[in-house]
């Protein structure tokens, strides 16, 4: 879109993209933690409190990703409309 406009886009658009990518990485890390916790629980028995914290952290990361995705979609929609010829 920057090439079509012949000028850089607003800084908030790249910031929104960066925050979404960061949210994706956080969610991936929380999912890995959940997988490790689930596999260790099968071996050693059920420590419920730790399991609930891991799942809550995963849910919080998923919520943050949802919010970041909405912001990115809005920012890209605005960038697209700024790119269209008048």
């Amino acid at each position: 879109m920057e090439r079509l406009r012949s000028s850089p886009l607003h800084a908030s658009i790249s910031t929104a993209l960066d925050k979404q990518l960061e949210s994706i990485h956080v969610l991936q890390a929380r999912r890995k933690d959940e997988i490790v916790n689930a596999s260790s629980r099968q071996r050693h028995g059920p420590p419920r409190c730790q399991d609930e914290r891991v799942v809550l952290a995963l849910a919080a990361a998923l919520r943050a990703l949802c919010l970041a995705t909405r912001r990115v979609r809005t920012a890209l929609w605005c960038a697209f409309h700024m790119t269209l010829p008048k």
Side-chain angles (χ1 to χ4, degrees), residues 22-41:
E22 180 183 333
S23 297
I24 290 170
H25 290 295
V26 169
L27 182 67
Q28 287 175 338
R30 299 298 174 258
R31 179 69 176 130
K32 286 179 186 176
D33 292 344
E34 183 195 22
I35 291 170
V36 167
N37 188 24
S39 66
S40 67
R41 184 175 35 141

Side-chain angles (χ1 to χ4, degrees), residues 1-2 4-5 7-10 13 72-86:
M1 283 188 259
E2 289 177 338
L4 293 173
R5 266 186 94 200
S7 65
L9 295 172
H10 196 268
I13 295 170
V72 164
R73 285 177 29 205
T74 303
L76 290 176
W77 181 83
C78 292
F80 172 70
H81 280 281
M82 290 186 327
T83 305
L84 292 175
K86 294 180 181 183

Side-chain angles (χ1 to χ4, degrees), residues 10-24 64-79:
H10 196 268
S12 64
I13 295 170
S14 58
T15 302
L17 287 167
D18 291 339
K19 286 186 179 184
Q20 186 194 29
L21 183 61
E22 180 183 333
S23 297
I24 290 170
L65 179 61
C66 289
L67 293 174
T69 301
R70 284 184 196 160
R71 289 186 186 116
V72 164
R73 285 177 29 205
T74 303
L76 290 176
W77 181 83
C78 292

